[in-house]
Amino acid sequence: MSTAADLDAVPSSTGAPTFAVIPGAQVAAALEGREREIVDVIARTYRMHGAGETGNPPSYFLRFPDKPNSRIIALPASVGGGVGVDGIKWVSSFPDNVAAGMPRASAVLILNDHQTGYPFACLEASIINAVRTSASAALAADQLTAGRTRPRRVGFFGVGLIARYLHTYLAATGWEFDEIGVHDLNPESAEGFRGYLQRADPDASVVIHDDAESLIRSCDLIVFATVAGVPHVHDPAWFDHHPLVLHVSLRDLAPEIVLGATNVVDDVDHCLRANTSLHLAEQQVGNRDFVHGTLDDVMAGRVTATPDRTTVFSPFGLGILDIAVGKEVYDQVGRTGGLQVVDGFFHEMSRYGRGAGGGN
């Protein structure tokens, strides 16, 4: 394995393609402290998606009869515009890992050159997954509260990696909180997240809630970041104060809550499938009229959230966001001279054998 000092590792039609491996430490270093820049990357990608400059087919779910709570998901995607990269994220969710002291999710991201189709990089992607989810939610929170006072009481329902990154992105994009509520079914996890919050902001007032109702009723901004497979929050009265809800885990809210809210998604077709809360609501009423628009619609001023209704942002997690952030990571690592290129990764590069020339 050799190190490339520039971006010549990108494959082209005139030279042998190269292939780089970017491990998690490099991914983290390439993203650290750049939260506002990454939010801008996400915003540009949403705008390209709204303009039809991306490809984002349905995700593919690999499930296991012996592990019904686990899955591996393939997210193929293509980002056009000035990015011009295709690829796929392969992300697993194995909740039982947590009991063994391992993170629930793991992932890799493959980037392909748009001109030749050759893959040119493999990146550790659990961090990219957390970052694109958090940047998307932070962008939504900012856009959905534009023109009015930002909420100052936030509650985190579920306290894994996504919650930690989401707090980081909110803090880095100017959010300040008088109180941070925490609720998790695992008390040890709740205490661990409180420890993280107090290290990140020693002046923060952190309150652990023993039940979901008290968390929801006491917060103006609520983050759902759980591994729930079916709705577990059913009472619309808990939302009578009309909070902003970042529903990043997609399956926490019962249809009656969704139907009484202003619903914003990242992509309508993607969000209304796979028995998400919105999909269940569609099955109940037989239409999609309760979906008010996409985040791109909000950014363009076509949809506005009002403080007299609960607003729910439900992002399915589009593969185009992983591709866009992954390409940003690749470029940043290349700029710093740290690309680790696998020498000779592509072996059969001649149609008629060594020395003959010509492609397949």
Side-chain angles (χ1 to χ4, degrees):
M1 184 174 289
S2 59
T3 300
D6 50 37
L7 298 186
D8 291 339
V10 177
S12 69
S13 59
T14 58
T18 58
F19 189 78
V21 176
I22 304 179
Q26 283 189 309
V27 172
L31 293 169
E32 186 176 5
R34 302 180 62 215
E35 290 85 2
R36 290 182 181 272
E37 294 175 66
I38 300 304
V39 169
D40 288 342
V41 168
I42 296 298
R44 289 196 299 271
T45 306
Y46 276 136
R47 291 190 181 100
M48 284 191 287
H49 189 58
E53 298 177 2
T54 64
N56 206 108
S59 303
Y60 300 90
F61 290 73
L62 177 62
R63 299 187 183 275
F64 312 96
D66 62 328
K67 293 179 177 291
N69 66 338
S70 300
R71 62 182 187 255
I72 306 179
I73 311 172
L75 289 83
S78 176
V79 181
V83 182
V85 176
D86 314 315
I88 188 167
K89 182 178 70 172
W90 183 239
V91 54
S92 68
S93 175
F94 280 56
D96 292 345
N97 286 351
V98 176
M102 296 172 59
R104 170 188 61 85
S106 59
V108 294
L109 178 70
I110 301 293
L111 298 180
N112 292 71
D113 176 58
H114 187 65
Q115 183 175 358
T116 67
Y118 269 85
F120 61 87
C122 175
L123 299 84
E124 195 284 328
S126 65
I127 297 171
I128 290 172
N129 182 70
V131 161
R132 65 90 154 133
T133 301
S134 302
S136 168
L139 174 66
D142 181 63
Q143 293 291 320
L144 291 168
T145 58
R148 55 186 216 254
T149 303
R150 282 180 166 182
R152 295 189 65 89
R153 298 176 298 165
V154 62
F156 288 90
F157 196 141
V159 293
L161 181 72
I162 297 295
R164 174 160 59 87
Y165 270 86
L166 215 157
H167 171 263
T168 298
Y169 266 75
L170 288 172
T173 52
W175 288 77
E176 297 179 347
F177 301 110
D178 297 328
E179 183 175 293
I180 303 175
V182 176
H183 175 66
D184 195 274
L185 296 180
N186 185 330
E188 292 183 4
S189 296
E191 285 290 348
F193 192 62
R194 173 160 63 179
Y196 153 73
L197 292 170
Q198 291 175 335
R199 291 191 301 273
D201 182 3
D203 297 326
S205 174
V206 182
V207 177
I208 293 181
H209 293 262
D210 294 330
D211 61 271
E213 180 179 0
S214 65
L215 175 83
I216 293 169
R217 287 187 180 275
S218 66
C219 296
D220 306 310
L221 171 62
I222 303 162
V223 177
F224 283 95
T226 74
V227 294
V230 295
H232 55 95
V233 176
H234 296 273
D235 192 344
W238 294 3
F239 299 84
D240 281 347
H241 56 303
H242 304 313
L244 170 61
V245 179
L246 303 178
H247 190 205
V248 299
S249 41
L250 291 174
R251 294 172 178 86
D252 302 273
L253 303 178
E256 51 265 34
I257 296 171
V258 169
L259 293 171
T262 297
N263 291 285
V264 176
V265 300
D266 52 3
D267 182 282
V268 177
D269 289 335
H270 281 76
C271 283
L272 275 73
R273 60 163 49 110
N275 286 329
T276 64
S277 294
L278 276 74
H279 188 204
L280 296 177
E282 179 189 27
Q283 294 174 49
Q284 181 171 307
V285 300
N287 61 64
R288 297 180 171 185
D289 296 345
F290 60 89
V291 180
H292 295 77
T294 66
L295 184 53
D296 179 59
D297 290 328
V298 174
M299 290 191 292
R302 294 185 292 267
V303 170
T304 303
T306 57
D308 59 344
R309 286 170 63 93
T310 297
T311 300
V312 178
F313 175 60
S314 299
F316 194 80
L318 302 178
I320 55 173
L321 305 182
D322 298 285
I323 299 301
V325 173
K327 181 57 163 55
E328 181 65 27
V329 169
Y330 178 87
D331 290 344
Q332 178 66 11
V333 174
R335 285 190 289 266
T336 60
L339 280 178
Q340 301 177 56
V341 176
V342 180
D343 297 322
F345 184 82
F346 298 103
H347 179 61
E348 288 286 352
M349 293 304 298
S350 172
R351 184 172 186 178
Y352 301 110
R354 187 171 300 175
N360 290 318

